[in-house]
């Protein structure tokens, strides 16, 4: 009896004096844990006579619940004291600027590709892709550049050293034009695609990098003529540069895969010493800038792709995506596109939440 009273007093005093949560927890284990002293007392109930048990059980159970309550109350008190201490010692300066967490941004090349997809989707084009490791046939031969064709030499091609089992030497595609062939072979006609992607040439200076980006356009249908080409390019460039005064000049040119071929120039004007696209290039203080290559798809190319050129005609164009980005967003060194310099990316990158749309504008604000 007195034992129980002593135990209670000692337990409650020790609980009251516990300094912290860890001390309180070890006390709980010592008293109420499986091997704890109060748990031990509970086990003695089994060996008692029924009468003894009847009188002892409520006391022991009472002791156990009082101790459990005291531990719970002490825990609340310790938690509250800890919170008080932290509130008193920790301060939050609400006048400080928000901490800057590192933010990713959309690279201008990706941004421009998204803009192109948005604009051309509206004209009924879908996006096609092809491999960057190409074979000679798709990159050259099927585009009407036979083995000995001089245009091959102009491409500064990266070839792989080995020849495959069929005797083919693979290469890094030098342009996105092979996707024209792959798309025609795969899906037949009619066809309306753009094919943006990486291309490779052994060349490097401020406006050339060994890897760069192009977008290819291809339309194959019935009775397609140069007028369709011109309208499509004009509509695309007005939407892309977000100006209605874009003026194009079509010049006769030569590409093996188009006949006739046209080089497309766009008019620019001098605005405070900067060349800004827009306006008639022939006006005083204005000029023309070469922008892209295009033309009516050569009959031979249509045949190579397995279609009948008497039934199907079309036009194609190819333009540098990096160049489009430079003209629209004002960068002057192409090499910086691929340096991964954080300052450049912070300056020229785009918010991932700013999606190009025709209604809200394709050129998102940086
Ligand atoms: N493939 C050409 C190049 O890389 C660009 C080009 C010109 C693509 C005319 C075309 C085209 O589709 O019609 O220089």
């Amino acid at each position: 009896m007195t034992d129980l009273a002593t135990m209670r007093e000692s337990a409650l005093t020790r609980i009251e004096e516990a300094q912290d949560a860890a001390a309180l927890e070890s006390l709980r284990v010592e008293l109420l844990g499986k091997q704890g002293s109060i748990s031990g007392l509970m086990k003695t109930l089994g060996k008692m006579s029924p009468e003894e048990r009847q009188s002892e059980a409520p006391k022991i159970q009472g002791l156990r619940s009082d101790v459990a309550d005291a531990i719970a109350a002490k825990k609340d008190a310790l938690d509250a004291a800890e919170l008080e201490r932290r509130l008193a010692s920790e301060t939050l300066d609400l006048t400080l600027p928000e901490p800057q967490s590192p933010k990713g941004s959309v690279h201008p090349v990706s941004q421009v590709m998204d803009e192109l997809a948005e604009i051309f989707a509206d004209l009924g084009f879908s996006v096609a892709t092809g491999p960057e490791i190409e074979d000679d046939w798709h990159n050259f031969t099927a585009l009407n550049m036979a083995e000995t064709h001089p245009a091959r030499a102009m491409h500064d091609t990266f070839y792989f050293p080995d020849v495959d089992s069929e005797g083919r030497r693979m290469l890094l595609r030098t342009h996105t034009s092979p996707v024209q062939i792959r798309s025609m072979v795969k899906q037949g006609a009619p066809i309306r695609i753009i094919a943006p992607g990486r291309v490779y040439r052994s060349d490097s200076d401020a406006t050339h990098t060994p890897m760069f980006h192009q977008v290819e356009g291809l339309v194959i249908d019935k009775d397609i003529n140069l007028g369709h080409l011109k309208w499509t390019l004009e509509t695309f460039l007005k939407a892309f540069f977000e100006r209605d005064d874009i003026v194009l000049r079509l010049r006769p040119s030569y590409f093996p895969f188009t006949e006739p071929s046209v080089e497309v120039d766009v008019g620019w004007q001098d605005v405070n010493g900067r060349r800004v696209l827009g306006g008639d290039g022939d006006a005083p203080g204005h000029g023309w800038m070469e922008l892209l290559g295009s033309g009516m798809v050569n009959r031979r190319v249509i045949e190579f792709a397995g279609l009948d050129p008497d039934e199907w005609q079309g036009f194609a164009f190819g333009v540098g995506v990096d160049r489009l980005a430079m003209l629209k967003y004002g960068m002057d060194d192409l090499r910086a596109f691929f340096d991964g310099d954080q300052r450049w990316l912070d300056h020229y990158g785009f918010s991932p939440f700013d999606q190009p749309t025709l209604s809200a504008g394709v050129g998102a604000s940086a």
Side-chain angles (χ1 to χ4, degrees), residues 69-90:
D69 289 350
I71 289 176
K74 182 67 184 178
K75 181 156 183 353
D76 286 349
L78 285 174
D79 287 350
E82 169 65 11
L83 183 62
E84 275 307 314
R85 191 193 60 73
R86 285 183 52 194
L87 286 175
S89 63
E90 290 175 13

Side-chain angles (χ1 to χ4, degrees), residues 21 32 101 104 131 162 177 181 224 235:
L32 302 175
S101 46
D162 302 327
S177 303
I181 306 296
I224 297 290
T235 306

Side-chain angles (χ1 to χ4, degrees), residues 155 174-175 177 180 201 214 216-217 255 257-258 293-295 316-318:
H155 276 223
T174 57
H175 50 178
S177 303
Q180 287 186 29
R201 290 186 201 178
Q214 285 187 336
E216 193 77 12
F255 299 104
F257 29 89
T258 44
S294 63
F317 57 89

